[in-house]
Amino acid sequence: MSDDVNTSANGTTVPKENWHTVAVKANCHSFHDDNVNGTAVYLGGDEKDGKIVISTKPPISNAITGTVIKGSNQILLQNFFEKENIKGREVMTFDQANRIGIRIKKDARNLDITIPPSKDENGKYKPNVFKEFPVADCFSFDENNKPRSPKGEIALAKLNADRFQKINKYRAMYHSEKATPEQKDNYLTVIAYEHKKAIEFLSVTNGDVKSYKEKSIQPQEQEKLNAIMPEGQAIPTLDQQKGRAVKELENFEKFQAEKKKDTPVIDATNTTSPVDYLGKYLAACEIGAAFVTDKESQEAVQKSISQNVQAEMDKNNFNYLQTFGAECSERCKSVLSEFRSKSYEQQRGQNKERTLEHERPEQTVDAISF
């Protein structure tokens, strides 16, 4: 029997659907059903002063690359995490886990997400389907062969020397006179994230970075590492590296605490376009903002999404969801740009006021030294 067909109960054969087709169909149905049932993350919320407020959670990202998953796949994963009550906001694929010695639990929860097919080296289209496993359903083994959290091993997936080089680059960019407050915010976020991962790295290696490099770095990577850290150069001790990293995180936490005194808001009232609505919701997730809408807009968006997705499924156009998700991602980018530009203008106005009222106007929230 050919591998390209399935055999039905009555003995007839039908063409076998590839993995990508199966996944996009499942995602369309799941997206549609969560929307109809009102369980989608962008619906519901708490009513307050005639408005509906949704407290957003951070977007779900890849644990190895740190990349935030975009568009409809982000919504699908958020819905999946909510239904399964999964802790954390990170996922990884089986291949990524296997590459760094992480084990996937038996019967682990997972969700297939897709991106449009691409051509391989032979010019043939290959399906791009990624089976995403929550980090909560992964584990590794300690020296006594006991299961433990994969958190440390995930940190080891990146070279620490590269990480500190990146930190130095962003620190220099932060102190540039040309850097805007908006850019400084982004630089601080990157610096804090890299230091957080560095602390995990150092905890796993117990500070024995040299031994780790000798055992774990591939030859081609060793050349790159030697260019950064020449032979014979002293490697900073655990206390030196960890102390610096901890200090950076403390600075960042103080900065974030100051900024979060007033929770930002993304306003989606009178927004009945599904692309505009979901674009604003995704933007709110990325900046930790409250997502505010109204009952009429939410009901209109829910109805419109249900009708649109169902109509496309009826036409057998299951790739519609990817196109719709890409449009939402583009709207998310523009919303974030608009929000940050507005915040920058407000901050400029505040800085001008400080110049008039205070002798040392440079002592603002952004004046964090490293």
Side-chain angles (χ1 to χ4, degrees):
M1 181 68 66
S2 170
D3 290 335
D4 296 327
V5 298
N6 286 325
T7 304
S8 64
N10 62 8
T12 59
T13 59
V14 294
K16 180 184 287 185
E17 291 183 319
N18 64 46
W19 190 13
H20 189 272
T21 302
V22 171
V24 294
K25 283 186 175 182
N27 287 343
C28 269
H29 284 290
S30 177
F31 197 96
H32 176 268
D33 292 347
D34 286 334
N35 183 77
V36 171
N37 297 334
T39 56
V41 288
Y42 52 83
L43 298 175
D46 300 318
E47 290 195 32
K48 184 177 181 181
D49 299 329
K51 304 284 186 179
I52 294 178
V53 181
I54 297 177
S55 298
T56 60
K57 293 182 180 180
I60 294 168
S61 61
N62 184 281
I64 306 303
T65 65
T67 305
V68 172
I69 294 165
K70 303 296 184 181
S72 56
N73 284 332
Q74 176 66 221
I75 299 295
L76 286 165
L77 279 169
Q78 287 198 29
N79 288 341
F80 172 64
F81 270 50
E82 285 297 310
K83 284 185 285 189
E84 295 289 332
N85 193 28
I86 296 171
K87 294 181 179 179
R89 306 298 286 177
E90 292 182 314
V91 292
M92 69 176 77
T93 67
F94 179 84
D95 287 343
Q96 288 176 325
N98 188 56
R99 200 175 302 132
I100 59 173
I102 301 296
R103 303 292 182 90
I104 306 296
K105 293 179 182 178
K106 185 178 180 181
D107 300 324
R109 296 164 292 184
N110 62 83
L111 181 73
D112 288 340
I113 65 172
T114 66
I115 60 175
S118 59
K119 289 184 178 180
D120 61 19
E121 60 276 7
N122 299 318
K124 293 183 178 180
Y125 279 98
K126 59 178 181 179
N128 287 318
V129 183
F130 305 92
K131 190 176 289 294
E132 301 287 357
F133 295 91
V135 171
D137 282 8
C138 304
F139 61 86
S140 52
F141 293 97
D142 63 16
E143 60 276 5
N144 298 315
N145 208 34
K146 299 284 188 181
R148 65 180 176 189
S149 165
K151 187 175 182 181
E153 278 74 4
I154 292 172
L156 293 182
K158 297 180 180 179
L159 294 177
N160 215 37
D162 281 350
R163 177 172 292 115
F164 276 107
Q165 186 184 50
K166 185 175 182 180
I167 288 170
N168 289 335
K169 170 188 171 184
Y170 276 90
R171 180 180 290 107
M173 292 166 69
Y174 176 89
H175 286 293
S176 169
E177 293 181 358
K178 297 180 180 179
T180 66
E182 176 189 353
Q183 290 172 327
K184 286 176 180 283
D185 286 0
N186 293 335
Y187 298 154
L188 281 173
T189 301
V190 173
I191 289 169
Y193 174 82
E194 295 298 335
H195 273 97
K196 175 177 176 290
K197 292 297 182 184
I199 291 173
E200 294 171 0
F201 173 96
L202 295 166
S203 299
V204 171
T205 61
N206 294 319
D208 190 0
V209 180
K210 183 176 181 180
S211 175
Y212 168 75
K213 288 193 298 184
E214 291 173 350
K215 293 178 182 178
S216 306
I217 305 301
Q218 299 297 319
Q220 63 271 25
E221 294 175 331
Q222 188 65 54
E223 294 179 10
K224 183 179 178 182
L225 201 60
N226 288 339
I228 300 170
M229 183 76 75
E231 195 65 34
Q233 183 172 329
I235 297 174
T237 66
L238 171 65
D239 287 342
Q240 288 173 330
Q241 295 187 56
K242 197 166 184 177
R244 173 179 162 183
V246 169
K247 181 180 178 182
E248 297 287 359
L249 279 179
E250 288 176 351
N251 284 338
F252 182 71
E253 287 167 1
K254 290 177 183 176
F255 171 77
Q256 287 291 74
E258 184 69 24
K259 287 195 68 175
K260 286 186 177 179
K261 286 181 179 178
D262 296 316
T263 303
V265 172
I266 296 292
D267 193 340
T269 54
N270 301 318
T271 302
T272 57
S273 161
V275 169
D276 195 12
Y277 184 95
L278 284 187
K280 289 178 177 178
Y281 171 80
L282 291 171
C285 291
E286 289 214 23
I287 61 173
F291 179 72
V292 178
T293 184
D294 57 275
K295 186 176 180 180
E296 293 75 17
S297 295
Q298 196 171 91
E299 289 177 348
V301 166
Q302 182 182 15
K303 181 179 179 180
S304 182
I305 289 176
S306 296
Q307 291 176 340
N308 293 346
V309 176
Q310 185 62 61
E312 296 301 325
M313 289 195 295
D314 290 343
K315 292 187 289 186
N316 210 31
N317 178 21
F318 292 95
N319 290 322
Y320 165 77
L321 192 59
Q322 292 177 340
T323 304
F324 172 61
E327 292 174 351
C328 294
S329 285
E330 286 303 310
R331 180 59 184 135
C332 171
K333 286 182 188 177
S334 63
V335 170
L336 289 175
S337 178
E338 292 164 8
F339 181 87
R340 287 166 177 158
S341 295
K342 185 177 180 180
S343 298
Y344 174 48
E345 290 301 321
Q346 290 175 342
Q347 193 167 14
R348 282 182 61 188
Q350 291 171 358
N351 286 342
K352 288 179 181 178
E353 291 177 7
R354 290 191 186 101
T355 303
L356 296 172
E357 297 175 5
H358 302 286
E359 293 182 4
R360 300 187 64 186
E362 72 276 12
Q363 297 299 315
T364 66
V365 172
D366 289 321
I368 298 176
S369 60
F370 295 102

